[in-house]
Amino acid sequence: MVREKVTVSTRTLQWKCVESRVDNKRLCYGRFILSPLIKGQADTIGIAMRRALLGEIEGTCITRAKSEKIPHEYSTIVGIQESVHEILMNLKEIVLRSNLYGTCGAFICARGPGYVTAQDIISPPSVEIVDNTQHIARLTEPIDLCIGLQIERNRGYRYSIKRPNNFQDGSYPIDAVFMPVRNANHSIHSYGNGNERQEILFLEIWTNGSLTPKEALHEASRNLIDLFIPFLHAEEETLHLEYNRHKGTLPPLTFHDRLAKLRKNKKEIELKYIFIDQLELPPRIYNCLKRCNLHTLLDLLK
């Protein structure tokens, strides 16, 4: 009697932070690995994670400045070393951390002579300044500098549209860089031979200090999962329609019945995608389950 030898897969994905450092208050670096992956999977995950890190994570920044004493964006003010345009560019670079939704107001009120820094920004408790030493302007004479600010939480990059009517009331929009991740790279290391070839995914993340690289990685992962959830719901709806086609119209369900059914369907979908190959079972048990055509935990529970 010849028995076919079954190769048991003990592939359990694991991730690890292999390097983490803080270069300064506005630059954090982290390097992560994920392994073992089948050939091709590292590139799929790496590309998706990089796009999610750069485009799907929310950040906070200053999006508008207002001062009635400023005639136009490219003007200069007596007693201030920087031009208005340079002050707006410095405000654009201010790194903020917040848990707010939408927009809120803040302001700067300083008197010279002296330096105006991020520490002079008076903001709501929900907004935190990451680096208080960031330079805004230098006042060379004993004058007052008062600027109203608009702070917003969003994602991505938004180019400010300059309209003439914006400048009439002393309001100036600022290009908004909401992205807390400054850069993200992925690389792949392959090892093994033939069909046993596997890959290790390396992820490098640089942030502006409002998030740590580890926090950015977790938030990007959650956002990716949220994007794929509708496909699972679509499968639930398809199963429901097929059941109605064969069994007829179901009686109306109460709220509790619907909630219980949703939880049951969600659990079944989760179990459907947990294969016995991932459970690290002893070879004898694994071979018995395979002979009985049991491939997932859902098959086993049925």
Side-chain angles (χ1 to χ4, degrees), residues 83-97:
S83 67
V84 174
H85 178 73
E86 289 172 334
I87 294 175
L88 294 177
M89 291 300 100
N90 291 337
L91 290 173
K92 175 184 175 180
E93 297 296 325
I94 301 296
V95 179
L96 304 173
R97 181 191 296 117

Side-chain angles (χ1 to χ4, degrees), residues 1 17-18 38 53 60 62 95 100 102 117 138 163 169 171 184 187 197 209-210 218 222 227 239 248 265 283 290 298:
M1 180 178 178
C17 179
V18 294
I38 299 173
L53 285 164
T60 306
I62 299 170
V95 179
L100 65 87
T117 64
R138 182 190 175 192
R163 293 189 177 94
D169 62 349
S171 178
S187 57
R197 196 165 186 79
S210 62
H218 288 174
R222 285 196 298 267
L227 290 174
L239 293 174
N265 290 341
K290 282 294 186 180
L298 186 60

Side-chain angles (χ1 to χ4, degrees), residues 250-266:
L250 293 174
L253 300 175
T254 64
F255 172 78
H256 295 288
D257 292 334
R258 292 180 182 274
L259 182 60
K261 185 176 180 182
L262 182 60
R263 287 174 176 171
K264 181 182 177 182
N265 290 341
K266 184 178 179 181

Side-chain angles (χ1 to χ4, degrees), residues 87-121:
I87 294 175
L88 294 177
M89 291 300 100
N90 291 337
L91 290 173
K92 175 184 175 180
E93 297 296 325
I94 301 296
V95 179
L96 304 173
R97 181 191 296 117
S98 78
N99 56 3
L100 65 87
Y101 295 93
T103 62
C104 72
F107 62 92
I108 298 172
C109 193
R111 182 169 179 79
Y115 290 94
V116 181
T117 64
Q119 188 176 3
D120 297 304
I121 298 176

